[in-house]
Amino acid sequence: MLAASTAYASRIQRFRLPRVCVAVVGEEASNIIDRAESLVRDNPFMEFRLDYLSNPSASLPKLKYFLDLHPEATVIATCRRAVNGGKFKGSAAAQLELLTKAAATGFQLVDLELQSAEILKAGELAELKDKVGVILSYHDFRVTKKLEDLFAGMKKHPADFYKVVSTATTLYDNVQMMKFLQAHSAQYEMVGLCMGEQGIISRVLGVRAGSIFTFSSATRGEETAPGQVTAAELRDTYRIEMVDAATLVYGVAGDPVAHSMSPIMMNTAFRRETVNAVYLALHAKTLKDLLACVNDIPLRGLSITMPYKQDIVSVLSNSDVLTRQIGACNTVVRGQDGKLYGFNTDVAGVVGPLEQRMMLQGTKILIVGAGGVARAAAFGLKNKGAEVFITNRTADKGQALARQSKSKYLKRADVAKSNFDVIVNATPVGMGANRQSPLEDKELNTKYVFDLVYVPAETRLMKMARAKNIEVIPGLEMFVQQGARQFEIWSGKPAPVAEMSFVVNKALERMAALGGENHEEPPSPLPPRAVPKPAPAPAPKAALPAGKKKAKELMRKPAKKAGKKAVRR
Ligand code: NAP
């Protein structure tokens, strides 16, 4: 019944569990305890991966200290077998024995794979379920397929939670997962998500489709599954605790998008202006895949990036004059009628920073490059009355753009002989590991250099310009301005430009500190989790009560009445 709906309704959480469970790994119990101690204040819901331990069974008494000392924590014991994607080399019987011991140790929940459940003796799983909350799980590390068939087999086995984790190879796989969750969450306690870079949609929006919680890593580098994001990202960037049926969904779509700074910038803007919206990085390998998701998720707006800025134009129902003029669109709005409307805010990104500094009417501007951004710059600046010159590595392309935008083409050999008010670099030269400049020192005869490259924050061209006392406009300004216009189009509110600029600047600084700007594919601009100094492992306290009441009973009671093992939220 629910599956037929296109929007995902928020569900009432019958279990008082937080939405984010943090996976904790370590080779020794002390590693897990140290990490858990540093996490527990912000993250009272954790999964201890016993299969990562060198000796899981011998570690349980040590882990008990942590459980006894932290009755506020809800902890899942997982000991995934190697044959099912984990690290535990033992048999299903040995796994069951370990999870039974984990239950006696004080873990409130244990995770058991479907494949293990299928080979246990009759009644063994029910016996385990009598002792502890059981999450029956299934992981597909390749695809998202036949979820219904799979679940028909899963629900034959008794469990408190049914966890289905697949791998997204398309964006639409997330829609399949969320429809699946929506279809069953009224009847069963479901947990579901898609792994992989393309699974981010289900990791964030799965909770409103019926997943009771989702999984995260403690820090970058400690992921226990592909595509896992940190708890801090889920909370701070994507505000997962607030995602509900009314949350509007936006995203940046392109190929690749993993290292886009748009999510951190736009989510900051939504939070600052208290817009109930979330913005995701959508790795669309085809435009068809992206369009298939637009209505089902549903997406309210999209930032379009390479390589789809031109291709998207043909599917728009209407667009602004600039999009039609330039033939490229970077901003899509999905109307109430489900139709797509296009805007080009790259123009505002180029024109805005210049207009803050000068009157463009009659200003002499050289654009280096004739690609997508150069097109936006040429048309936008001509519309403002500037005298625009274009030079390009491939003369034909530069001449064609000059003709179309009613600008003038300048041979590269003539650049050094000319003077300009502004030179705009619209080529990728200087980006990432490329420490080149698109122009030579003698060609920089200008008052301003506007380098549209924004990674790294300081390019070779910018350094050369500063050395000649030429005023520099960094590419960051374009990035923020085009995003600010998008925000305004989508939300109808003025964009918090200062905050947007601040977070991107910080992200660039972090990237520079990590050496990421030296790579073609820089590390994600999202902040690494600030890991507090781990507290020393707690000393045993004999007086603490074992508190081994069954989790599902406790979870149904308010924390106060349920005693030590109650789930707080
Ligand atoms: P594009 O469509 O691929 O166009 C690239 C242009 O640069 C082409 O004219 C190309 O010349 C020229 N070019 C490429 N490599 C060159 C080289 N080694 N030497 C000289 N010229 C070269 O790319 P785009 O979408 O216009 O983006 C261009 C750059 O703008 C990006 O790399 C990015 O750094 C920057 N950008 C910034 C923002 C922002 O918000 N700040 C937004 C988008 C893009 P040919 O015609 O000869 O191939």
Side-chain angles (χ1 to χ4, degrees), residues 256-485:
V257 288
H259 308 292
S260 170
M261 300 222 183
S262 294
I264 197 161
M265 178 171 77
M266 301 307 275
N267 283 310
T268 298
F270 285 133
R271 183 174 50 216
R272 175 70 177 76
E273 293 302 313
T274 57
V275 180
N276 184 6
V278 66
Y279 185 101
L280 306 166
L282 308 171
H283 183 178
K285 286 185 188 155
T286 64
L287 194 56
K288 194 173 160 211
D289 180 29
L290 174 69
L291 295 173
C293 300
V294 170
N295 285 324
D296 273 321
I297 287 180
L299 287 159
R300 287 298 293 264
L302 287 166
S303 307
I304 302 291
T305 186
M306 297 293 289
Y308 302 123
K309 284 189 183 184
Q310 273 137 26
D311 295 352
I312 193 84
V313 175
S314 63
V315 302
L316 300 172
S317 292
N318 206 348
S319 59
D320 65 353
V321 178
L322 289 167
T323 298
R324 289 199 291 275
Q325 233 180 8
I326 299 162
C329 162
N330 76 325
T331 308
V332 172
V333 175
R334 180 180 165 277
Q336 298 290 354
D337 54 7
K339 291 181 179 168
L340 303 182
Y341 299 92
F343 298 83
N344 190 307
T345 72
D346 280 338
V347 172
V350 176
V351 170
L354 290 173
E355 276 190 324
Q356 284 166 10
R357 292 166 168 93
M358 67 194 80
M359 286 280 295
L360 287 172
Q361 181 71 41
T363 304
K364 229 174 136 184
I365 302 179
L366 172 69
I367 299 170
V368 186
V373 171
R375 281 186 79 77
F379 282 98
L381 294 169
K382 273 303 286 183
N383 285 348
K384 292 286 176 180
E387 192 185 355
V388 177
F389 296 82
I390 292 162
T391 193
N392 189 45
R393 180 178 61 180
T394 309
D396 294 359
K397 279 174 71 183
Q399 285 159 353
L401 175 57
R403 232 182 1 261
Q404 290 158 9
S405 62
K406 301 191 172 37
S407 308
K408 292 171 193 148
Y409 187 74
L410 198 64
K411 281 192 268 174
R412 176 71 188 263
D414 293 336
V415 171
K417 297 178 213 157
S418 316
N419 284 295
F420 303 96
D421 295 302
V422 184
I423 293 178
V424 179
N425 174 31
T427 76
V429 181
M431 190 171 80
N434 178 324
R435 292 299 162 99
Q436 306 298 308
S437 165
L439 294 177
E440 289 176 35
D441 196 68
K442 64 176 188 216
E443 294 173 308
L444 299 182
N445 304 314
T446 178
K447 293 178 195 142
Y448 290 86
V449 162
F450 189 1
D451 195 346
L452 303 187
V453 170
Y454 67 98
V455 179
E458 185 78 2
T459 61
R460 170 113 184 255
L461 173 65
M462 287 160 75
K463 283 182 188 141
M464 283 165 57
R466 285 189 212 283
K468 290 184 80 171
N469 284 328
I470 296 168
E471 198 162 324
V472 167
I473 309 172
L476 171 75
E477 289 197 28
M478 175 188 173
F479 183 67
V480 173
Q481 285 295 330
Q482 59 82 33
R485 275 297 297 138

